[in-house]
Amino acid sequence: MLQQMGKAAKLASYQLAQCPITIKNKVLTMIADLLEQHCTAILLANERDIEIAKTQELSAAIIDRLLLTPERLMAIANDVRKVVSLTDPIGQIIDGATLDSGLKLQRRRVPLGVIGVIYEARPNVTIDIATLCLKTGNAAILRGGKETMHTNAVTISIIQQALDQAGLPKAAIQCIDNPDRKYITELLKLDQYVDMIIPRGGAALHKLCREHSTIPVITGGIGVCHIFVDESADYDKALSIIVNAKTQRPSTCNTLETLLVHRNIADKFLPKFSQIMADNDVVLHADPNSYEILKSCVANVFAVEDQHLRQEWLSKDLNVVIVDSLELAVEHIREYGSGHSEAILTRNLSNAQQFTNLVDAAAVYVNASTRFTDGGQFGLGAEVAVSTQKLHARGPMGLEALTTYKWVGYGDDLIRR
């Protein structure tokens, strides 16, 4: 089955690579319109997935990721329209020069080809991937989790309907609808047809892809994110950012998981912080130093364990650690961070510059919430994933991240001497 899907996707990618921007934008506009027209069918399918998820006692974080509402679906459709408005990167001349030999050389942006995406309880990913792939002339083979089976079936049919009406092959966007995990392994070996694998899920999925794929893998999306409150921070403004980073949508990968507080302000800052966290139903997991301060302020505080510092809570749980200096905050992030999003809250310009220089992450913020690490927020339209590696793409992966380049040389009957 996958061999046939791969072959069809590769053939479709050749056609997409030559597709004019007017046709690509027409397809995307049709997808956005059809999502709104079929809103009821999509939400009913999503309700079935939610009901099954609850019977299987999946976590609240997973159910939140799985859930579609009319507002979320409208936002997804509008994100598709935003991608329509973005400049098509395909064919862009990145740079070029005329060499001493007389050869006029250009580096030109081109599609990757076929993208394989493996994801779990995220029905929005189906639309995000399809949108960005079509805009950049790439075909895609999607493998969503069994949690999104019914929702994905409806959205894939909508995408393929738009492709068909625009005269493009339905195989440009395909979905593996069999939940058997053996198809993940088969997809990872489909290097004859697939050019890149993007996993979107937990650490186990990323590990599986890295260890078994014969295709290049872009890893990321695991966010053990930190905020460091230094001794010069404005308390009220810092607390507003922390509340946003932790509570706006706790199940996302750019949510704050560990708060680092400078020792010199801990006695004054943590009591104020703990009360606001209690007001927002956040459970605190504190290191020994912060525990001594917090236990007298709120009841909802526990001792933090090392494994907590290395994981995504994806819930209203937050680690709290006191550090003696900016340098030790950076050391903590280097030990426990996932390279996703890190932030410093400070009024000291030197500290801000030092933090941004020393912290190695896809996104580093000064006096801003980690929740900004998102393709839409970065002006990229939708995103394929958030890459935490350093080669090819890093951070939110928008249109350019789904392209590569080729060298094109022009000569006047030129030979090498």
Side-chain angles (χ1 to χ4, degrees), residues 70-384:
E71 293 75 21
R72 288 185 181 181
L73 190 56
M74 180 65 73
I76 291 169
N78 287 334
D79 282 342
V80 176
R81 294 189 178 101
K82 289 177 186 176
V83 174
V84 172
S85 69
L86 297 176
T87 301
D88 182 9
I90 301 304
Q92 289 180 351
I93 306 302
I94 300 171
D95 52 35
T98 300
L99 308 182
D100 292 341
S101 63
L103 182 67
K104 183 180 180 181
L105 200 59
Q106 294 179 346
R107 198 156 56 102
R108 186 180 300 170
R109 205 172 287 284
V110 296
L112 283 165
V114 179
I115 314 297
V117 185
I118 305 165
Y119 54 103
E120 295 169 347
R122 305 166 189 250
N124 63 295
V125 173
T126 304
I127 303 300
D128 291 348
I129 299 295
T131 299
L132 294 178
C133 283
L134 291 173
K135 181 80 174 191
T136 50
N138 292 291
I141 298 176
L142 311 180
R143 198 284 186 181
K146 63 180 182 297
E147 308 89 353
T148 56
M149 183 174 64
H150 297 98
T151 311
N152 282 347
V154 178
T155 53
I156 286 292
S157 68
I158 288 171
I159 294 165
Q160 292 185 338
Q161 179 183 341
L163 286 165
D164 188 52
Q165 290 178 4
L168 293 174
K170 291 182 178 181
I173 304 295
Q174 300 177 81
C175 183
I176 301 170
D177 55 11
N178 191 318
D180 194 325
R181 292 183 66 84
K182 74 175 184 179
Y183 291 108
I184 293 179
T185 305
E186 287 188 27
L187 178 60
L188 296 177
K189 305 295 184 185
L190 210 61
D191 53 272
Q192 182 179 356
Y193 302 113
V194 179
D195 299 284
M196 179 182 288
I197 293 289
I198 302 175
R200 290 190 60 167
L205 174 60
H206 287 259
K207 184 173 184 289
L208 173 73
C209 292
R210 286 195 303 269
E211 292 180 351
H212 294 279
S213 180
T214 57
I215 306 165
V217 177
I218 294 283
T219 57
I222 298 172
V224 183
C225 303
H226 301 76
I227 288 180
F228 170 50
V229 185
D230 87 348
E231 56 187 329
S232 71
D234 181 305
Y235 289 7
D236 291 337
K237 293 178 180 178
L239 290 171
S240 176
I241 291 171
I242 293 165
V243 169
N244 176 263
K246 181 69 249 184
T247 68
Q248 188 195 43
R249 195 173 175 191
S251 64
T252 61
C253 61
N254 53 21
T255 291
L256 171 65
E257 303 292 15
T258 296
L259 183 73
L260 305 173
V261 179
H262 196 291
R263 182 177 296 277
N264 290 350
I265 65 168
D267 287 333
K268 293 182 178 180
F269 180 77
L270 286 179
K272 294 183 177 182
F273 156 80
S274 64
Q275 187 56 57
I276 288 181
M277 291 297 101
D279 292 343
N280 285 274
D281 300 318
V282 176
V283 178
L284 302 178
H285 303 262
D287 76 328
N289 292 322
S290 60
Y291 185 84
E292 290 303 312
I293 300 172
L294 293 169
K295 70 178 183 180
S296 61
C297 302
V298 290
N300 224 2
V301 58
F302 302 90
V304 72
E305 299 178 17
D306 187 77
Q307 68 186 44
H308 297 154
L309 298 171
R310 300 181 186 278
Q311 71 183 30
E312 289 180 299
W313 281 109
L314 302 176
S315 60
K316 282 192 173 183
D317 291 83
L318 178 63
N319 306 320
V320 184
V321 175
I322 291 176
V323 293
D324 291 334
S325 65
L326 183 148
E327 290 77 13
L328 290 176
V330 172
E331 284 188 19
H332 181 99
I333 292 169
R334 288 173 177 171
E335 173 66 23
Y336 295 101
S338 61
H340 194 292
S341 302
E342 313 293 355
I344 182 172
L345 308 184
T346 182
R347 289 292 175 252
N348 185 304
L349 180 59
S350 176
N351 286 354
Q353 292 176 334
Q354 186 178 9
F355 187 85
T356 58
N357 288 337
L358 293 177
V359 170
D360 184 15
V364 183
Y365 297 95
V366 176
N367 298 327
S369 170
T370 56
R371 287 282 290 127
F372 281 102
T373 308
D374 172 84
Q377 293 294 317
F378 278 22
L380 304 176
E383 69 184 33
V384 180

Side-chain angles (χ1 to χ4, degrees), residues 46-56:
N46 187 250
E47 284 181 13
R48 292 183 64 190
D49 286 329
I50 294 293
E51 289 171 3
I52 294 170
K54 289 179 178 178
T55 61
Q56 294 176 343

